[in-house]
């Protein structure tokens, strides 16, 4: 495995094997799919709408959403378009397709048809195939994105891209370490080189497909430099395979200055590293995910969390915000709940849109700090890989140079420990083996010590536990409980 564009014959050999993994693979014909995409109206091309929003400095809203039955998925997306006012539409993929367990997914579809309603969360796109995906695309007037967490997404990409989706989420790190326990990075990085090469083939035929590395990762107190390092690495891996349109993502932490600094530094770092490796013609945008951790049960409080995420996304001028729902703490949201989250978010965006946040020097310092930390990690990874970002990533995770908090994967060191400071910004209580110099480490320790003094307790793992539950309990920083 190395960070090198897949040769055509190499890809073709893999494609023949991948398209046989399920019967619906036979429905994929790349040339025919390119023709289908070229007939797509511009307002349904994800990258085109993102580029327009970026040029206008607008923040567009997208929900998540997936159901077992095709007609229910169509009804859901039409509702989110017409009632919810969504700017982009999702199709969240089911857990069985994410694990390539298509036989079991087939059974869930049959059982759901017998029951007359969807029995599982998420749409089993591989089982339905290309024609069914096109029915979804043709039933709405908005760009649609595939959202999931799939270590081996090769067949899912083949089918959904041929099916008319114009944006595909995920990556070799972001759909492995936070989602799987026993899948090696070598395997998932090469799986996702295939996905990115497939997107590159569409791009070379003039079909724009946007790629969105999954920014939030484990969604629990993930420090900005960690998600930024993964985003930059996945952008470089994608660019090498011919991807041109990339949305870099970040999961809200909750402190406004830190979140705005995170969004602004993210695309700046992406541009910086893509330029360093001389990738041309790239179109980078940013995606802000509203709080991905535990939510309050109470729907009014949940709207408070959603609205706070909308404020941060709008003030940061993120190109897209991924919206939560007031049912987050309860279970699978209803279409009304999803629509409510979108409407609350767009109300805030419309009210905040023209208010420029005063560029405080605290914001500049936070932004610079995130850049210094991210560069330290990414440059160390490049060094470990002798310049090859793929090789360096595998070695970097082995050495704990890159480490994702609370991740299930046994390939993750799991040594770092994040905790909030007195203002709720996420800092490192333990930086593990991250390659930071003394000033960086001392900055984090000092900010955490300040909280300890205010709360009258020593910084400890208990603070981390408190912070994991705090938003669900109605606070950002759990003052010594
Ligand atoms: C990445 C995980 C997140 O995706 C969201 N999610 C999962 N399934 C659905 C769903 N069916 N509809 C809307 N949102 C959903 C939910 O916010 C969850 O925390």
């Amino acid at each position: 495995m190395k960070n090198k564009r897949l040769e055509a014959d190499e890809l073709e050999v893999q494609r023949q094997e991948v398209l046989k993994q399920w019967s619906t693979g036979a429905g994929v014909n790349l040339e025919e799919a390119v023709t289908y995409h070229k007939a797509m109206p511009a307002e349904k091309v994800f990258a085109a709408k993102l580029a327009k929003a970026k040029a206008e400095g607008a923040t567009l809203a997208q929900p998540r959403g997936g159901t077992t039955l095709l007609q229910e998925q169509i009804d859901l997306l039409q509702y989110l378009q017409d009632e919810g006012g969504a700017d982009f539409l999702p199709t969240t993929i089911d857990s069985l397709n994410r694990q390539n367990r298509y036989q079991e997914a087939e059974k869930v579809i049959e059982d759901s048809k017998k029951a007359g309603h969807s029995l599982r969360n998420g749409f089993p796109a591989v089982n339905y195939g290309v024609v069914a995906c096109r029915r979804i695309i043709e039933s709405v007037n908005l760009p649609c994105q595939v959202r999931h967490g799939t270590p081996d997404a090769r067949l899912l990409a083949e089918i959904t891209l041929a099916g008319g989706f114009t944006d595909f989420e995920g990556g070799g790190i972001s759909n492995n370490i936070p989602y799987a326990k026993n899948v090696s990075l070598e395997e998932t990085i090469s799986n996702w080189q295939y996905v990115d090469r497939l997107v590159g083939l569409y791009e070379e035929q003039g079909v724009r497909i946007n790629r969105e590395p999954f920014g939030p990762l484990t969604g629990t107190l993930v420090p900005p430099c960690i998600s930024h390092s993964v985003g930059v690495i996945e952008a470089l891996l994608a660019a090498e395979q011919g991807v041109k349109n990339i949305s870099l993502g970040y999961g809200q932490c909750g402190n406004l200055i830190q979140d705005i600094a995170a969004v602004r530094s993210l695309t700046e770092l992406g541009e910086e590293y893509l330029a360093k490796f001389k990738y041309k013609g790239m179109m980078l945008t940013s995606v802000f995910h509203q709080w991905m951790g535990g939510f309050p049960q109470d729907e009014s409080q949940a709207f408070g969390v959603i609205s706070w995420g909308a404020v941060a996304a709008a003030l940061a001028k993120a190109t897209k915000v991924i919206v939560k729902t007031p049912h987050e703490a309860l279970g699978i949201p209803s279409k009304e709940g999803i629509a409510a989250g979108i409407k609350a978010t767009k109300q805030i965006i419309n009210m905040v849109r023209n208010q420029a946040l005063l560029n405080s020097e605290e914001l500049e310092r936070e932004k610079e700090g995130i850049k210094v930390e991210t560069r330290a990690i990414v440059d160390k990874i490049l060094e470990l890989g002798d310049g090859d970002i793929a090789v360096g990533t595998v070695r970097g995770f082995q050495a704990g140079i890159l480490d994702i908090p609370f991740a299930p994967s046994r390939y993750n060191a799991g040594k770092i420990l994040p905790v909030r400071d007195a203002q709720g910004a996420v800092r490192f209580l333990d930086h593990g083996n991250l390659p930071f110099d003394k000033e960086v480490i001392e900055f984090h320790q000092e900010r955490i010590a300040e909280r300890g003094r205010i709360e009258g307790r020593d910084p400890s793992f208990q603070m981390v536990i408190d912070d994991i539950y705090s938003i669900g309990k109605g606070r950002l920083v759990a003052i010594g409980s």
Side-chain angles (χ1 to χ4, degrees):
M1 177 216 58
K2 54 189 179 303
N3 180 35
K4 189 172 165 312
R5 182 171 293 198
L6 285 176
E7 298 298 333
D9 52 358
E10 208 181 340
L11 179 71
E12 213 32 54
V13 165
Q14 273 201 66
R15 293 194 74 223
Q16 292 323 309
E17 176 237 322
V18 166
L19 293 175
K20 289 195 183 79
Q21 288 170 347
W22 196 250
S23 57
T24 48
V28 174
N29 173 321
L30 206 47
E31 292 68 34
E32 184 273 338
V34 166
T35 307
Y36 181 83
H37 271 274
K38 287 191 163 178
M40 190 102 66
E43 66 270 8
K44 291 177 72 169
V45 178
F46 224 101
K49 191 162 183 178
L50 282 170
K52 187 168 175 293
K54 177 181 178 180
E56 294 163 358
T59 297
L60 301 181
Q62 178 183 13
R64 297 184 174 96
T67 62
T68 309
L69 293 175
L70 175 59
Q71 190 52 50
E72 283 189 7
Q73 186 64 17
I74 289 171
D75 297 343
L76 170 67
L77 295 189
Q78 288 177 333
Y79 185 85
L80 297 180
Q81 170 186 273
D82 300 335
E83 285 305 310
D87 297 306
F88 294 114
L89 292 172
T91 288
T92 301
I93 302 300
D94 70 303
S95 57
L96 292 170
N97 265 216
R98 296 185 190 193
Q99 297 168 62
N100 315 113
R101 290 158 55 183
Y102 308 121
Q103 190 58 55
E104 293 160 83
E106 204 66 45
K107 176 93 174 52
V108 172
I109 296 172
E110 280 156 34
D111 292 349
S112 298
K113 283 177 179 168
K114 281 187 204 119
H117 60 87
S118 297
L119 292 176
R120 267 180 93 111
N121 190 18
F123 183 72
V126 170
N127 296 75
Y128 279 105
V130 173
V131 173
C133 285
R134 290 182 180 180
R135 276 196 47 207
I136 293 176
I137 300 300
E138 290 159 16
S139 69
V140 293
N141 306 314
L142 295 171
C144 294
Q145 176 188 41
V146 183
R147 302 198 66 89
H148 55 106
T150 307
D152 181 358
R154 294 175 295 172
L155 183 55
L156 179 65
E158 288 277 6
I159 284 173
T160 54
L161 295 181
F165 285 87
T166 55
D167 192 318
F168 198 80
E169 182 198 35
I173 303 168
S174 63
N175 269 207
N176 175 347
I177 305 297
Y179 283 96
K181 184 162 186 55
N182 279 315
V183 187
S184 75
L185 278 166
E186 288 90 338
E187 186 180 330
T188 52
I189 287 175
S190 58
N191 288 341
W192 280 87
Q193 286 176 315
Y194 173 115
V195 172
D196 286 328
R197 187 69 204 108
L198 181 63
V199 170
L201 289 183
Y202 277 102
E203 284 284 355
E204 285 145 29
Q205 305 284 324
V207 175
R208 295 173 75 178
I209 305 280
N210 193 67
R211 284 273 296 105
E212 177 190 331
F214 179 57
L217 301 170
T218 53
T220 310
L221 300 175
V222 178
C225 68
I226 298 296
S227 75
H228 287 24
S229 297
V230 172
V232 165
I233 292 167
E234 292 193 351
L236 290 172
L237 290 168
E240 176 59 26
Q241 299 303 325
V243 171
K244 293 293 176 197
N245 296 277
I246 299 175
S247 298
L248 292 175
Y250 166 73
Q252 176 183 15
C253 285
N255 171 280
L256 182 62
I257 296 291
Q258 182 174 50
D259 286 335
I260 293 171
V263 173
R264 296 198 179 157
S265 56
L266 181 53
T267 39
E268 288 172 20
L269 285 161
E271 301 286 358
E272 182 182 309
Y273 277 94
L274 286 166
K276 185 174 181 170
F277 289 91
K278 307 202 180 350
Y279 292 113
K280 301 268 180 279
M282 303 302 296
M283 202 285 286
L284 275 194
T285 49
S286 56
V287 185
F288 185 88
H289 294 248
Q290 291 176 355
W291 173 243
M292 293 294 284
F295 255 63
Q297 301 257 354
D298 176 277
E299 290 203 11
S300 302
Q301 287 179 259
F303 276 115
V305 178
I306 289 167
S307 298
W308 185 233
V311 168
L315 286 175
K317 292 206 170 305
T319 320
K320 183 174 89 170
V321 56
I322 303 288
V323 176
K324 286 282 177 159
T325 81
H327 303 161
E328 179 63 19
L330 309 175
I332 298 176
S334 65
K335 63 179 190 297
E336 292 81 5
I338 303 171
I342 302 169
K343 288 190 266 188
T345 296
K346 293 190 77 163
Q347 172 75 24
I348 292 280
I349 289 171
N350 293 338
M351 290 168 69
V352 166
R353 183 198 310 276
N354 304 315
Q355 302 184 41
L357 183 86
L358 306 180
N359 271 327
S360 68
E361 117 240 347
E362 196 194 346
L363 176 60
E364 282 316 302
R365 193 187 59 235
E366 277 300 327
K367 209 173 102 176
E368 200 44 40
I370 294 168
K371 286 187 170 184
V372 164
E373 292 167 6
T374 307
R375 288 189 192 111
I377 293 170
V378 175
D379 291 348
K380 186 71 183 169
I381 281 191
L382 282 164
E383 188 190 310
L384 286 175
D386 303 318
D388 185 306
I389 195 80
V391 172
T393 295
V394 174
R395 293 175 183 165
F397 269 92
Q398 283 164 349
I401 299 300
L402 183 45
D403 184 349
I404 297 173
F406 314 111
S409 173
R410 67 183 179 87
Y411 294 94
N412 189 64
K415 284 190 167 50
I416 65 169
L417 206 49
V419 78
R420 294 186 187 280
D421 66 16
Q423 286 74 37
V426 174
R427 307 299 181 194
F428 287 100
L429 178 60
D430 188 335
H431 66 282
N433 294 344
L434 298 183
F436 293 156
D437 57 25
K438 206 166 43 67
E439 293 86 341
V440 169
I441 295 164
E442 284 168 0
F443 169 78
H444 286 262
Q445 284 172 344
E446 176 37 43
R447 298 301 295 260
I448 294 167
E450 179 200 42
R451 174 182 173 185
R453 288 193 294 275
I454 294 169
E455 291 187 1
R457 60 170 170 162
D458 289 340
S460 68
F461 188 70
Q462 185 56 48
M463 273 188 182
V464 179
I465 295 169
D466 293 344
D467 290 348
I468 285 173
Y469 290 98
S470 58
I471 290 180
K473 290 181 178 172
R475 317 183 62 92
L476 182 60
V477 192
I479 302 299
S481 40

